[in-house]
């Protein structure tokens, strides 16, 4: 009787030594967005921005219907990239050069591809940092999201040889002229009452700080659900058994979940910031776990009009999220350059906001 042979078509994902600078990756599993995605986004994060909640509000601004939340697009596109980029991640480290493109509506199908920009092995030789540029497109090939992110990824074999170090340079910010305004968007019919705030672009001042006041407790069931919803297969988020062997001894909450919580909290103070147009830079300063309560505060870094537009302007914001620490004390970086121990997220981004009629 012949001995049975063992064969497996399962894949273990890419480890650090599998990447090469210039490598192009087309990611699997295109995703058709639905009205259920919009509803689940509200259920997970409590976002209240009117443009994503009301077809009538969106139509009054010249759009065909309510677009999906900008960060829902973020989650889906990043989720597409995880099996190839960060399945074996230690942690997601940062973002740069994020730009949102055409709005995404229910019925649109999103897919993604990436190119490896840089690699750097860590001194312990057990892991390394991978930089990628990823692009999400709709069924017409139109860009919906384009960004650079960097991820710390385990090595399969600490002794494996790796390519020469290449650390890419990223722009410190997205230029206001490069922000994409949705085609047909006109803000003459913008309804402050429906939006939830009378504060427009003119009312904000550079240096102003806003405490978003409320906190949201992150349950394990929340971040597990969002990880599955966005088809994010990174083991650090969903495998509790494997998490026991990490230095934290448990699963990490998906960092994008924390970004969406901070965005939802920012409604109190920035309700008319109706579109996240770009992320200039971002860092997941510390891990977040089930049971942590997230608070947030924001600071206005820049305030610029947009070329050819008198009905809207852009605010460059910095939002800080902290766990188990209300933000009336503005936790952030100290004089020594070190973060307050409660800080988990530091995000620099552009918001589009309506202006008052001249």
């Amino acid at each position: 009787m012949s001995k049975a042979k063992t064969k497996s078509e399962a894949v273990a994902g890419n480890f650090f030594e599998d990447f090469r600078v210039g490598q192009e990756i087309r990611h699997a599993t295109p995703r058709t967005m639905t009205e259920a995605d919009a509803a689940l986004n509200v259920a997970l994060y409590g976002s209240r921005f009117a443009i994503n909640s009301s077809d009538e509000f969106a139509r009054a601004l010249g759009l065909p219907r309510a677009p999906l939340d900008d960060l829902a697009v973020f989650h889906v596109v990043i989720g597409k990239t995880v099996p190839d980029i960060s399945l074996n991640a230690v942690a997601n480290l940062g973002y740069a050069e994020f730009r949102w493109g055409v709005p995404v509506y229910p019925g649109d199908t999103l897919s993604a591809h990436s190119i490896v920009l840089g690699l750097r092995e860590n001194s312990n030789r057990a892991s390394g940092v991978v930089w990628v540029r990823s692009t999400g497109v709709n069924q017409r090939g139109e860009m919906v999201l384009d960004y650079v992110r960097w991820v710390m990824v385990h090595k399969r074999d600490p002794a494996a040889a790796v390519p020469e170090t290449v650390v890419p340079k990223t722009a410190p910010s997205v230029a206001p002229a490069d922000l994409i305004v949705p085609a047909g968007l006109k803000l003459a019919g913008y309804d402050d009452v429906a939006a939830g705030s009378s504060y427009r672009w003119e009312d904000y001042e550079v240096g102003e700080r806003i405490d978003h006041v409320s906190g949201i407790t992150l349950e394990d069931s929340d971040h597990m659900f969002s990880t599955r919803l966005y088809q994010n297969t990174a083991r650090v988020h969903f495998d509790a058994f494997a998490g026991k062997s990490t230095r934290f001894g448990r699963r990490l909450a998906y960092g994008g979940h924390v970004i969406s919580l901070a965005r939802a909290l920012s409604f109190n103070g920035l309700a008319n910031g109706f579109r996240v147009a770009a992320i200039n830079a971002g860092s997941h300063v510390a891990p977040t776990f089930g049971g942590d309560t997230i608070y947030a505060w924001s600071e206005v870094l820049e305030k610029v009009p947009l070329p050819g537009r008198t009905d809207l302007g852009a605010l460059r914001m910095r939002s800080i999220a902290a766990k188990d620490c209300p933000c009336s004390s503005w936790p952030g970086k100290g004089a020594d350059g070190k973060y307050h121990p409660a800080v988990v997220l530091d995000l620099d981004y552009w918001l589009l906001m309506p202006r008052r009629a001249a």
Side-chain angles (χ1 to χ4, degrees):
M1 200 172 166
S2 61
K3 188 176 180 180
K5 293 183 178 179
T6 300
K7 182 182 179 183
S8 175
E9 281 79 17
V11 295
N14 289 316
F15 291 84
F16 179 75
E17 61 264 43
D18 298 321
F19 293 99
R20 295 292 181 271
V21 172
Q23 178 181 359
E24 296 185 27
I25 304 169
R26 181 184 173 194
H27 304 294
T29 320
R31 171 92 172 248
T32 299
M33 306 302 292
T34 68
E35 291 179 354
D37 288 297
L40 288 170
N41 187 78
V42 174
L44 279 167
Y45 309 115
S47 182
R48 293 182 283 158
F49 294 95
I51 196 169
N52 308 121
S53 300
S54 167
D55 285 343
E56 293 306 310
F57 187 94
R59 289 188 185 114
L61 305 184
L63 302 180
R65 62 177 302 183
L68 269 81
D69 188 288
D70 302 309
L71 290 176
V73 176
F74 167 101
H75 299 316
V76 169
V77 173
I78 282 188
K80 300 297 101 193
T81 72
V82 167
D84 300 305
I85 305 298
S86 50
L87 183 65
N88 296 303
V90 179
N92 193 67
L93 299 179
Y95 310 103
E97 300 180 10
F98 258 85
R99 282 198 314 154
W100 274 261
V102 300
V104 174
Y105 300 98
D108 284 343
T109 298
L110 306 186
S111 57
H113 59 273
S114 298
I115 184 167
V116 179
L117 302 180
L119 298 167
R120 185 188 68 206
E121 185 180 32
N122 289 330
S123 58
N124 63 8
R125 301 202 65 193
S127 61
V129 180
V130 181
W131 284 262
V132 297
R133 176 176 290 280
S134 298
T135 304
V137 298
N138 63 18
Q139 67 276 16
R140 293 179 294 276
E142 298 166 325
M143 187 271 281
V144 300
L145 184 65
D146 183 76
Y147 63 90
V148 175
R149 75 168 173 138
W150 46 103
V151 188
M152 188 182 301
V153 180
H154 288 290
K155 290 181 70 176
R156 180 187 294 105
D157 175 9
V162 297
E164 183 179 354
T165 295
V166 176
V167 177
K169 290 185 178 179
T170 56
S173 65
V174 176
D178 292 332
L179 302 178
I180 295 173
V181 177
L185 183 73
K186 298 178 181 178
L187 299 186
Y190 194 92
D191 184 343
D192 286 345
V193 174
S197 174
S198 61
Y199 296 110
R200 294 199 173 195
W201 182 82
E202 289 85 355
D203 298 309
Y204 293 86
E205 299 295 335
V206 173
E208 178 182 353
R209 290 179 168 185
I210 305 164
D211 175 11
H212 301 304
V213 182
S214 301
I216 299 177
T217 300
L218 171 62
E219 305 291 353
D220 274 323
S221 58
D222 297 334
H223 77 81
M224 285 297 299
F225 186 87
S226 67
T227 302
R228 293 191 297 268
L229 175 64
Y230 299 118
Q231 299 168 314
N232 183 331
T233 56
R235 294 186 179 92
V236 293
H237 303 319
F238 70 85
D239 190 333
F241 180 76
K244 293 177 182 178
S245 63
T246 69
R247 65 190 177 101
F248 303 111
R250 60 189 300 193
R251 292 170 298 192
L252 304 183
Y254 161 50
H257 194 100
V258 179
I259 294 175
S260 272
L261 290 179
R263 167 69 171 156
L265 290 168
S266 76
F267 180 88
N268 188 0
L270 291 169
N272 283 331
F274 65 89
R275 176 170 166 89
V276 181
I279 294 176
N280 300 304
S283 297
H284 294 292
V285 176
T288 306
F289 306 99
D292 291 340
T293 299
I294 302 300
Y295 296 86
W297 66 274
S298 298
E299 180 180 5
V300 182
L301 300 180
E302 287 186 62
K303 176 181 173 182
V304 297
L306 293 179
R309 303 294 299 239
T310 59
D311 58 342
L312 80 161
L315 293 180
R316 183 175 176 182
M317 305 298 304
R318 179 194 185 198
S319 288
I320 298 287
K323 61 182 180 182
D324 301 332
C325 178
C327 287
S328 57
S329 62
W330 320 112
K333 277 188 176 180
D336 59 359
K338 295 181 179 179
Y339 282 99
H340 185 285
V343 173
V344 295
L345 175 71
D346 189 346
L347 198 67
D348 175 340
Y349 59 102
W350 286 107
L351 283 178
L352 299 186
M353 184 168 283
R355 296 176 65 176
R356 291 195 173 86

